Amino acid sequence: MPRLLASLMKKRRGFFKKVFFALLLLFLLVGGYAAYSVVAVPEVVGLKTKNPTVTAMMEQRAAEKNTKAQPLRTWVSYNRISPHLRNAVLVAEDGAFFQHSGVDLHELKEAVKKDWEEKRFARGASTITQQLAKNLYLSTSKNPLRKIREFFIARELEKHLSKQRIFEIYLNVIEWSDGVYGIGPAAQHYFGKSAGALLPEEAAVLAAMIPSPRSYNPGKGMTSYIAKRKAELLNRLVSYRYLTQAERDEAMGREVVFRGSREAAPAEPPATPAPETTSEESTPAPEQNSADSEP
């Protein structure tokens, strides 16, 4: 019996020693990669005044087709982008964008919790700044090591660029359909109009497409998912006081007409369009159209 206990104790010590060294190795690998990420952070200061022409995301998509990425040919300045679009993207992708410093710790905690529960990468927690870092310099991989680099690049972007500039670049480089990058081409692609002329319901539709942009094209018209998500985002715009209830009702009542398609999913009878806001806020946060204040 004593020999058996001694043997079991020896095995346990061996097991814990292996676990310890495995964790130590993991710590060293992650720590080393983090150090490398800090050293290898790309130069972002130039983005203050120079617009990017090709992104890592564009190059990845082109490589998937064995072609060469074509440079961006359209750029829409921040104040020429419809405030409806800016607000819809904020509430859809990163409601705390103007408050955090590149990483939303609350969302990160919730994402880690959900991923742990489902034993997979089930929920993203990337802020607009992190998404921009991924689009400009990284890839679509959910590899944890890639997320480390994304974190450090996002911090650099926040350090050197204003929130307004980060948001402007983001809206001009993200993917909105297969081969469609930036809000200028996206507004033309889906609705045949400029980025500054987008109505609330059109803005909500475009914001709803961001997580899976290559699933949509104008010929599909209004899918059931986009119709549901559009309604959710319009409701959220009211709760954030970016729209009044009356403006939301008018937006829900108007038909969303896609370029080359008459398909739509109006929830209520059509109503007279609400007048668009023409004045711009002097500061980027909070964005507002017709309501009184940010909650």
Side-chain angles (χ1 to χ4, degrees):
M1 190 68 174
R3 288 184 178 180
L4 179 59
L5 288 173
S7 176
L8 289 174
M9 290 297 292
K10 186 176 181 180
K11 287 182 179 179
R12 288 187 63 184
R13 284 196 298 269
F15 171 76
F16 285 119
K17 185 181 289 186
K18 289 179 181 178
V19 170
F20 171 77
F21 281 113
L23 291 174
L24 178 61
L25 179 60
L26 179 63
F27 174 79
L28 291 173
L29 287 172
V30 173
Y33 189 81
Y36 160 76
S37 297
V38 173
V39 175
V41 166
E43 174 61 57
V44 303
V45 177
L47 292 173
K48 283 184 176 182
T49 56
K50 186 177 180 181
N51 299 329
T53 56
V54 176
T55 69
M57 174 70 74
M58 294 167 65
E59 290 178 337
Q60 176 185 328
R61 296 303 191 208
E64 291 169 357
K65 298 178 180 179
N66 294 317
T67 61
K68 185 177 180 180
Q70 297 300 308
L72 295 167
R73 301 188 184 280
T74 302
W75 194 273
V76 187
S77 64
Y78 183 85
N79 288 336
R80 291 184 177 275
I81 299 171
S82 166
H84 297 308
L85 188 281
R86 300 196 307 249
N87 292 337
V89 172
L90 282 176
V91 302
E93 294 296 308
D94 189 359
F97 173 67
F98 285 107
Q99 285 73 51
H100 63 63
S101 58
V103 177
D104 190 328
L105 295 179
H106 172 72
E107 284 297 316
L108 182 61
K109 182 181 72 173
E110 292 299 313
V112 170
K113 180 181 177 182
K114 188 171 183 64
D115 291 347
W116 178 263
E117 290 173 349
E118 299 194 15
K119 302 296 187 294
R120 64 186 180 91
F121 296 114
R123 171 174 173 167
S126 292
T127 62
I128 282 174
T129 312
Q130 288 175 285
Q131 290 182 50
L132 179 58
K134 177 185 71 176
N135 273 267
L136 288 177
Y137 303 113
L138 303 172
S139 71
T140 56
S141 167
K142 289 188 176 181
N143 185 302
L145 296 180
R146 193 272 290 171
K147 296 292 289 185
I148 293 174
R149 287 205 71 199
E150 179 185 286
F151 171 84
F152 286 108
I153 295 172
R155 296 303 296 267
E156 280 294 294
L157 290 169
E158 292 276 346
K159 178 181 177 181
H160 295 288
L161 307 181
S162 69
K163 285 286 190 178
Q164 180 171 310
R165 180 59 174 161
I166 290 171
F167 201 14
E168 177 185 323
I169 298 174
Y170 174 83
L171 293 174
N172 276 280
V173 302
I174 62 171
E175 191 176 28
W176 250 297
S177 186
D178 189 17
V180 178
Y181 299 93
I183 186 55
Q188 287 292 338
H189 181 70
Y190 285 104
F191 303 116
K193 59 171 60 178
S194 72
L198 293 167
L199 296 171
E201 62 274 22
E202 295 166 338
V205 165
L206 287 174
M209 294 176 177
I210 292 175
S212 184
R214 294 195 294 171
S215 300
Y216 308 106
N217 62 67
K220 283 188 175 181
M222 182 72 74
T223 67
S224 58
Y225 168 79
I226 291 297
K228 179 181 177 182
R229 185 64 173 154
K230 179 197 76 170
E232 290 174 352
L233 292 179
L234 288 173
N235 289 336
R236 197 176 294 178
L237 285 165
V238 174
S239 67
Y240 274 77
R241 300 189 182 181
Y242 291 147
L243 290 179
T244 65
Q245 185 63 44
E247 287 171 331
R248 175 266 178 204
D249 293 344
E250 290 175 348
M252 284 296 296
R254 282 191 294 263
E255 181 184 31
V256 176
V257 181
F258 290 89
R259 185 177 183 179
S261 170
R262 293 295 302 177
E263 292 185 41
E268 301 172 27
T272 303
E276 289 194 80
T277 301
T278 56
S279 61
E280 296 289 339
E281 296 292 332
S282 58
T283 56
E287 294 254 87
Q288 294 183 339
N289 293 331
S290 304
D292 299 328
S293 61
E294 180 81 3

